[in-house]
Amino acid sequence: MASTLLKNLLLSLLVVSAGFWVAKASDPDILFDFVAPANSTNNFDGNYFTFIGLRGVLFNNTSPNFKVTKASMVEFPALNGQSVSFAILQYPAGGLNPPHTHPRSAELLFLVQGSLQVGFVDTTNKLYNQTLQVGDMFIFPKGLVHFQYNANTPRTATAISAFGSANAGTISIPTSIFTTGIDDVILAKAFKTDIATIQNIKACLIAPKA
Ligand SMILES: *[C@@H]1O[C@H](CO)[C@@H](O)[C@H](O)[C@H]1NC(C)=O
Ligand SMILES: *[C@@H]1O[C@H](CO)[C@@H](O)[C@H](O)[C@H]1NC(C)=O
Ligand SMILES: *[C@@H]1O[C@H](CO)[C@@H](O)[C@H](O)[C@H]1NC(C)=O
C-alpha cells in the first residue's frame, strides 16, 4: 500500500517534471559542459568563450537601412548547445525590420536608443503592437510574425535582442515569398492579384537597396 503510494507519487513527480522540461525545452540539451571547437586539441582557452564581434557596433551606425548584427552560434561557436544568443538591431530614421519569424525562439527586445514601433500577429491573426521608449522591453513569442519600425523620428533607434536559442533562425516574409522562385501564377492567386503586380513586387525586392 505504502509502496504503491510512493510509486504513484514518484510517477506523478516524473510526469510533472517531464511536462516542465517539455514546456521549457528549446534547443536540445547537451550531455557535456559545452561543445568544444570541432578541431580542438584541448588547448583552447577563454578566448573561445569570448565574442568581440560587437565591439564598435553600438551607437555607431552609418548604414542608411535597417541593420542587424548577430551573435549566434554561427558567429560565436561557443553558443552551440547553450540555448542563448543576441542580436544588435539598428534603425536609422524610417528604418524597417520587415515582417519575419524566428522558427526556433522567442525574441526579447530591449530598446536602448530612440523609439520604436513594434508588433506581432498571433495564430488568430490578431495584431499586438506598441511604441517603445528607451528602457522598454517587448517579447515576440516564438514563431510568430513580427516587425519593428523607426517611424517619423529624426533619431536612430537601437535595440538589443536576446533569443532562447543559439540559432533562432530568421524567415523574412517578403524575401521567402517573393525572391525564392515561387511561380508568379501561384503568388498571383495567393494574393488575389495579377501577375504584373507580383512581378513588380519581385523586381522591387530583388533590386539593390537604394
Ligand atoms: C581550428 O580551426 C580554425 C579554423 O577552422 C582555426 O582558426 C584554429 O586555429 C584551429 N584550431 C586548432 C587548435 O587547430
Ligand atoms: C564605427 O564603425 C566603424 C566601421 O563601421 C569602425 O571602423 C569604427 O572604429 C567604429 N567606431 C567606434 C567608435 O567604435
Ligand atoms: C498600432 O497599429 C495601429 C495601426 O494598425 C496604429 O494606428 C497604432 O498607432 C499602433 N499603436 C502603437 C501603440 O504603436
Side-chain angles (χ1 to χ4, degrees):
M1 177 70 187
S3 93
T4 310
L5 204 68
L6 194 66
K7 261 189 212 159
N8 283 343
L9 188 70
L10 281 177
L11 195 68
S12 42
L13 269 178
L14 201 69
V15 168
V16 167
S17 61
F20 181 64
W21 186 82
V22 167
K24 253 181 26 149
S26 178
D27 291 358
D29 235 340
I30 53 174
L31 299 176
F32 317 98
D33 295 345
F34 48 80
V35 178
N39 57 352
S40 132
T41 49
N42 217 19
N43 61 354
F44 58 98
D45 56 17
N47 288 322
Y48 176 63
F49 301 94
T50 309
F51 184 63
I52 61 168
L54 298 181
R55 283 185 187 173
V57 166
L58 270 182
F59 314 121
N60 180 25
N61 184 26
T62 50
S63 166
N65 300 302
F66 164 72
K67 185 176 161 202
V68 57
T69 311
K70 292 181 190 173
S72 73
M73 67 176 251
V74 175
E75 299 80 20
F76 186 8
L79 296 188
N80 189 5
Q82 304 301 330
S83 306
V84 287
S85 58
F86 264 126
I88 306 294
L89 310 164
Q90 293 170 301
Y91 316 78
L96 170 73
N97 186 3
H100 64 281
T101 80
H102 304 291
R104 290 181 284 278
S105 177
E107 172 175 358
L108 180 58
L109 180 146
F110 178 36
L111 189 69
V112 296
Q113 182 186 32
S115 73
L116 200 59
Q117 279 190 16
V118 300
F120 70 87
V121 178
D122 73 8
T123 56
T124 69
N125 289 327
K126 178 172 176 185
L127 170 69
Y128 298 83
N129 66 338
Q130 188 57 274
T131 301
L132 305 178
Q133 299 179 25
V134 167
D136 294 350
M137 281 191 176
F138 194 84
I139 179 80
F140 302 102
K142 180 175 176 173
L144 300 186
V145 173
H146 61 279
F147 58 86
Q148 298 112 24
Y149 178 46
N150 181 8
N152 301 326
T153 154
R155 285 193 304 162
T156 292
T158 305
I160 300 172
S161 275
F163 299 88
S165 167
N167 189 18
T170 299
I171 298 170
S172 168
I173 305 297
T175 306
S176 66
I177 294 196
F178 292 105
T179 71
T180 54
I182 300 177
D183 197 276
D184 292 347
V185 172
I186 292 171
L187 293 179
K189 277 182 183 281
F191 287 86
K192 302 194 191 314
T193 185
D194 51 64
I195 287 176
T197 304
I198 295 297
Q199 286 175 343
N200 186 30
I201 295 173
K202 284 186 173 180
C204 292
L205 278 172
I206 290 164
K209 283 177 185 170

